[in-house]
Amino acid sequence: MAPLVKLRSARDQMSAIERRIADYILDNAHLLRDYSSQQLADALGISQSSVVKFSQKLGFKGYPDLKWSVGQAMARDGAQPQAAQAQAPQAADAYRQLEQALARSKAAAEEDTRALNPRATIEAVVAALDACDKVFVYGLGDDGLFAREFAMRLSLLGQLTVHHADPVLMTTSLSAVRQGDVLLMFSEFGKLPQLSQISRQFQDAGGQVVSITRHTANPLRAHADLPLVVSAHDPSPAIAQLLYRSSLQTLLDFVFVLLSRTASGRDRLLAANLERVQRLLDS
């Protein structure tokens, strides 16, 4: 796992001092090569030993190893656009540069998202969806668009799906929850109080909650049984939102493909349902 991704993935389990160190490195990764452990400690107002222990806790031999790893990652990222320009001089115009930069950012965000969601977690989500009687799907706003589309795809696989974008309707539907049912809760930031309320009520009824949020500390992710996270970091809020949507879609696509192959009849059922839908659209 890339060092900066490792920092982001471990941040929620860090102490207050460790989070300060992690945030400083993430914000100033391009300057880290010029900092000794003592200089970094002085910049943060902490002891040098705290920096060393932080590095070792992340699995590095020490601070120099961490600094070298971050420097290598930054060098790789910086070399990619130069290589692209050398191979294609005609891409020097602003149009092509923007197109290539967006493609690289999307690829990096999707790679980080894959690294942040361990195989064990993905397989546990697929197993829970495969074994449950009903899947409840909830999302508001932009999250609701992904929730609705994924609920439809689950239905095409023959999964009994309850989808709502209204918190009141979802709350009333909780009376139908049975042991082992799954709630997919889509929320980019996971901070709305009603999300946590619905999540807790669903768990109290015996269901499992799968949260899909940004890779940030948030109440919904903290209390979910199975949290899925999306990496989308960019200085531009507009680009960061695009990265979130792209990475989220890739993550959902992979879960869907895995689920479609958990039982031999699912792929045939999917094909039959798609054919019925097409006949309806053609009529």
Side-chain angles (χ1 to χ4, degrees):
M1 186 185 299
L4 298 182
V5 177
K6 183 182 289 188
L7 282 174
R8 294 189 188 105
S9 65
R11 189 185 181 281
D12 289 348
Q13 287 73 47
M14 293 179 181
S15 66
I17 291 179
E18 290 169 344
R19 283 198 298 271
R20 286 177 58 198
I21 300 173
D23 291 342
Y24 191 88
I25 292 175
L26 289 169
D27 292 339
N28 301 278
H30 60 293
L31 301 175
L32 198 64
R33 65 180 183 275
D34 299 323
Y35 278 67
S36 67
S37 58
Q38 185 61 62
Q39 288 172 320
L40 180 58
D42 291 342
L44 291 169
I46 59 177
S47 67
Q48 183 182 21
S49 63
S50 296
V51 175
V52 176
K53 291 177 181 176
F54 171 83
S55 304
Q56 294 172 339
K57 186 174 180 179
L58 284 174
F60 297 97
K61 295 177 181 178
Y63 174 74
D65 188 27
L66 169 62
K67 182 169 71 169
W68 181 86
S69 182
V70 171
Q72 288 293 103
M74 296 298 292
R76 285 194 300 271
D77 292 344
Q80 290 175 0
Q82 294 175 5
Q85 290 174 5
Q87 293 171 5
Q90 68 274 19
D93 64 279
Y95 178 94
R96 289 289 292 160
Q97 287 179 350
L98 183 59
E99 181 183 41
Q100 292 174 352
L102 181 59
R104 286 193 300 270
S105 295
K106 282 186 174 182
E110 291 171 11
E111 181 180 353
D112 288 352
T113 298
R114 285 192 292 272
L116 291 169
N117 293 281
R119 176 174 177 173
T121 301
I122 297 289
E123 290 182 337
V125 170
V126 172
L129 292 172
D130 183 49
C132 70
D133 292 327
K134 297 184 295 299
V135 181
F136 294 73
V137 185
Y138 179 72
L140 293 172
D142 283 350
D143 297 305
L145 299 176
F146 286 97
R148 179 177 180 273
E149 195 267 345
F150 196 65
M152 182 190 71
R153 286 205 275 169
L154 290 177
S155 297
L156 289 172
L157 288 177
Q159 196 88 42
L160 178 57
T161 307
V162 180
H163 167 248
H164 289 303
D166 185 321
V168 175
L169 292 176
M170 180 55 79
T171 300
T172 58
S173 297
L174 296 181
S175 59
V177 177
R178 298 295 180 265
Q179 190 75 28
D181 285 348
V182 174
L183 168 63
L184 296 176
M185 186 74 84
F186 288 75
S187 177
E188 183 173 356
F189 299 102
K191 293 181 178 180
L192 292 175
Q194 65 254 42
L195 301 178
S196 297
Q197 293 174 13
I198 294 172
S199 176
R200 285 195 297 269
Q201 292 173 20
F202 194 89
Q203 289 169 324
D204 290 342
Q208 291 190 82
V209 174
V210 177
S211 65
I212 303 99
T213 70
R214 272 184 180 268
H215 182 241
T216 56
N218 61 76
L220 179 61
R221 176 187 174 189
H223 295 100
D225 298 291
L226 295 167
L228 295 176
V229 294
V230 178
S231 176
H233 303 280
D234 193 273
S236 166
I239 298 298
Q241 186 178 49
L242 294 177
L243 299 184
Y244 178 81
R245 294 169 65 88
S246 174
S247 298
L248 173 57
Q249 190 62 64
T250 299
L251 176 62
L252 294 177
D253 288 346
F254 186 51
V255 170
F256 175 78
V257 170
L258 288 175
L259 183 61
S260 69
R261 299 182 180 182
T262 55
S264 59
R266 274 217 166 102
D267 53 349
R268 293 193 297 272
L269 182 59
L270 173 61
N273 281 332
L274 287 173
E275 185 178 350
R276 279 196 287 269
V277 170
Q278 192 60 49
R279 285 203 302 268
L280 179 65
L281 295 175
D282 292 341
S283 62

